[in-house]
Each structure stands twice: as C-alpha cells, then as structure tokens.
C-alpha cells in the first residue's frame, strides 16, 4: 500500500511527507520480515529514514533550512534499508518475532501521529484560506 503524495510547498510539508513515506516503507519491510519468519536463510531488514530526515533539517536542535533547500534535500533522499542486527538461528533466519512485533506497533503509532499532523496542517491552511 502506497501513501498518496501531496504537493510539497514548504519545509514542514516536505518533512511530513518524507516521514509518511519512510514510515510506510518501514511498515512494508516489517510485514516482509514477518511473512518470512520461517523461511530458511532469510535475513531481516530494517528501514532507517530518521537519519536522512535529521540531516536534512539540520540535526538535533538545528534550524530547518530554507523551504526550497529542504524540498531538494528530501526530494532526492530515500529511506535506507539496512540489515537487521539480530542473531541468526539454526536455519540461517534472523527474524525475531518480538522485535518485529514491537517495531510494527511503534511504526503504526508514529504513522498515526504524523498523519494527524498532516490533517491538522491542512485544517489550518483551510481555516487561513477562509474556506471554513
């Protein structure tokens, strides 16, 4: 399931859109890991989009860059898929059910929070535009 994209017109929209895309990719990766829990030799992967996002907005405590630069920084960036750091079992599979379940719950919660931020942002724009 893909997240519908919306026009990025400012740095906040760019950050929110990138976060939704990264969380969606993370959820898909977790689902793939869980689907292959009994597949011999399967290696779990994890998605890291936070480091790309953090560097685009200037790091911890850093001020966001100008709107156009932010959109350019995030526009070409993609979440990174990394090998999961879990021990390998007897069959060569390293999917950890507890770790994947927790990651799925955390990603779902984060996705709901970011989606709510997008909804609130559009409601604010609608109010400002006078289309109450």
């Amino acid at each position: 399931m893909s997240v519908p994209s919306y026009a990025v017109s400012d740095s906040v929209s760019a950050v929110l859109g990138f976060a939704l895309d990264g969380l969606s990719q993370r959820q898909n990766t977790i689902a793939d890991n869980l689907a292959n829990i009994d597949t011999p030799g399967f290696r779990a992967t994890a998605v890291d989009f936070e480091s790309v996002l953090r560097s685009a907005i200037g790091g911890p405590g850093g001020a966001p860059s100008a709107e156009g630069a932010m959109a350019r920084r995030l526009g070409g960036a993609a979440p990174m898929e990394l090998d999961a750091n879990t021990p390998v079992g007897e069959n060569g599979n390293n999917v950890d059910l507890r770790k994947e379940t927790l990651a799925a719950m955390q990603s779902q919660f984060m996705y709901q929070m970011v989606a709510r931020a997008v909804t609130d942002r559009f409601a604010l724009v609608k109010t400002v535009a006078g289309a109450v």
Side-chain angles (χ1 to χ4, degrees):
M1 182 173 179
S2 177
V3 176
S5 62
Y6 54 91
V8 176
S9 59
D10 62 315
S11 58
V12 174
S13 296
V15 167
L16 291 173
F18 186 80
L20 284 174
D21 289 344
L23 286 165
S24 178
Q25 184 175 344
R26 178 176 289 158
Q27 288 172 330
N28 289 335
T29 300
I30 292 168
D32 185 51
N33 290 344
L34 289 171
N36 288 288
I37 197 164
D38 291 325
T39 304
F42 181 81
R43 298 301 176 118
T45 54
V47 172
D48 174 34
F49 68 92
E50 290 91 348
S51 59
V52 175
L53 188 58
R54 193 174 300 112
S55 67
I57 63 173
S65 62
E67 294 172 7
M70 173 69 74
R72 281 192 302 279
R73 285 180 179 181
L74 292 175
M80 296 180 290
E81 199 161 301
L82 312 166
D83 287 333
N85 215 8
T86 54
V88 178
E90 292 178 19
N91 66 354
N93 186 311
N94 72 337
V95 178
D96 181 348
L97 180 60
R98 290 178 295 175
K99 179 180 177 185
E100 297 298 329
T101 303
L102 180 60
M105 290 188 309
Q106 288 173 333
S107 293
Q108 181 181 5
F109 180 69
M110 290 171 62
Y111 191 92
Q112 289 171 349
M113 288 178 36
V114 175
R116 176 63 190 254
V118 170
T119 301
D120 290 349
R121 182 156 176 78
F122 282 132
L124 181 62
V125 169
K126 184 178 175 182
T127 300
V128 169
V132 180

